[in-house]
Amino acid sequence: MLALPQLDRGSTAPIWFQIMRAIETEIADGAWSPGDRLPSESELCGHFSASRTSVRDALARLESAGIISRQQGKGAFVERVQGPSAWTLPSAPSLLGEYSEQGRSALSSQILRAGIEPLPSWAAAVVGRDSPDGQGFVLERVRAVGARTAVHVINYLPTRFAGVIPDLRDPRASLYATITRVADVRIARMHRTIEAVAADRILAGLLDIEPGHPIVVVEAVAYDQSGEPIDFSRASVRTDRLRVSVDTGFDAAGMTSETASGRYPPAPRQSRRAGARPPR
C-alpha cells in the first residue's frame, strides 16, 4: 500500500489536482529524496482509484514545475526537494524583490491583463485622485520562483504609467525599475499590511491550490520621492513556496534599489525521518 493519502471524493477539486498535491506534499515532507523513483502510473491509478489520464495530468504538472522528471520507459523521478524561498520585506522598497541583478526581478511574471480601466473605489481613493473618471492603469500578473507559481499580484497605478507596458513584456522585467527608467519616478517609501486569508476559487485556480487553502495577502501602497502614492498593490502568496519575513533594520535614506531589494536565499531542506510526519 502506498504511503499516500486517499482522494476526497466529496471535494470540488479535480482528481488530477488532488493527486498532484498529494505527491507534491509527500516530496516536500521528505518521503522521497532527489533521484528517488515515484510509484508507477499503474500503481498510482490503483492507489487513487483514478484514471490514467488523471494520473498523467498530475505528473505533467509536477514535471512542468520542475519537481519531478519523467524518462521514457523508466518512470518518474524526484528532481529536487525544495522548501519555500524567502521573500524579505525591508523597510524600503521594493515590493516582492522587484530589483535584482541589473534591474531584473528575482521573480518571473506572466501578465494576465494590463491596461487602462476603472479602478476599484478603494484603489481610486489612493492612486486615482488625478483621474476625474476613476480610471487607472491596472497590471495583473502571476509570478513564479523558478518554475513554481507562488504569487498573484494586482497593481493599481495612475494612468500616466501605462506607457511602461512594452517594457514589461520581458518575464523578468521589474515594474519599479521600469517606472524609474521610463518615467523617472523612484519609489521612496512603502506601507504594507499583511493578513492571512482563505483562497477563493479564482485565486485557487491561479495559484494551483484548493479553494479555502490558507494564503498570505500583502497589500502595499508605494510612495514616490515627493510623498505621493503612485501604486496600490495586492499580492496573494503561497507561503509553502515563498516564505514571507520582515526586516526592519534598514534605513531608507540614501539606499540604492539594489540594497533595498527583497532577497531570495535558498531555504534549508527539511527532511523527515520515517514515521515522523510534521503537522499539516
Side-chain angles (χ1 to χ4, degrees):
M1 189 71 176
L2 299 181
L4 284 166
Q6 295 294 326
L7 302 181
D8 179 2
R9 298 294 175 176
S11 172
T12 57
I15 298 300
W16 68 263
F17 182 89
Q18 293 188 54
I19 296 172
M20 177 193 71
R21 289 286 287 165
I23 295 174
E24 181 182 19
T25 299
E26 290 298 302
I27 292 174
D29 283 351
W32 293 299
S33 300
D36 285 353
R37 183 182 182 275
L38 295 182
S40 68
E41 290 184 3
S42 295
E43 289 174 310
L44 292 172
C45 288
H47 174 79
F48 290 113
S49 299
S51 69
R52 191 172 293 269
T53 297
S54 294
V55 168
R56 286 179 174 172
D57 285 348
L59 295 176
R61 293 295 186 108
L62 291 168
E63 184 176 34
S64 67
I67 296 172
I68 68 170
S69 60
R70 291 185 292 177
Q71 301 178 27
Q72 184 68 33
K74 294 184 178 180
F77 297 83
V78 178
E79 187 67 18
R80 55 185 169 80
V81 177
Q82 180 176 324
S85 298
W87 167 20
T88 298
L89 300 182
S91 57
S94 67
L95 177 66
L96 282 175
E98 287 284 354
Y99 294 104
S100 186
E101 266 187 47
Q102 299 177 349
R104 288 167 63 80
S105 176
L107 300 178
S108 60
S109 298
Q110 176 189 357
I111 296 177
L112 302 181
R113 79 182 200 267
I116 302 298
E117 58 184 75
L119 295 173
S121 58
W122 38 268
V126 177
V127 299
R129 291 175 293 178
D130 295 336
S131 177
D133 57 359
Q135 299 279 310
F137 170 43
V138 179
L139 176 66
E140 181 180 6
R141 295 171 291 172
V142 173
R143 314 197 68 186
V145 179
R148 306 199 307 170
T149 300
V151 185
H152 169 265
V153 59
I154 302 182
N155 295 81
Y156 301 96
L157 303 99
T159 54
R160 68 180 185 276
F161 291 110
V164 304
I165 293 177
D167 294 81
L168 297 178
R169 290 173 182 160
D170 178 354
R172 298 294 297 276
S174 161
L175 173 60
Y176 289 169
T178 300
I179 287 175
T180 299
R181 185 180 68 255
V182 175
D184 195 27
V185 173
R186 178 177 58 84
I187 307 301
R189 183 169 66 89
M190 299 288 294
H191 174 79
R192 298 181 177 98
T193 301
I194 304 174
E195 65 176 331
V197 303
D200 60 22
R201 290 186 181 277
I202 294 176
L203 279 176
L206 292 170
L207 294 175
D208 285 339
I209 53 178
E210 304 92 337
H213 191 281
I215 58 174
V216 166
V217 171
V218 180
E219 290 189 346
V221 179
Y223 298 82
D224 65 15
Q225 56 267 48
S226 65
E228 289 297 315
I230 63 163
D231 179 33
F232 186 106
S233 62
R234 180 178 174 89
S236 302
V237 187
R238 278 189 61 165
T239 54
D240 60 330
R241 292 184 172 177
L242 192 60
R243 184 186 297 115
V244 178
S245 61
V246 178
D247 190 333
T248 59
F250 290 129
D251 178 1
M255 294 186 68
T256 66
S257 58
E258 184 72 22
T259 56
S261 66
R263 298 185 303 284
Y264 298 81
R269 176 184 165 189
Q270 296 181 348
S271 61
R272 169 167 61 85
R273 296 183 182 274
R277 181 184 297 274
R280 294 182 183 174

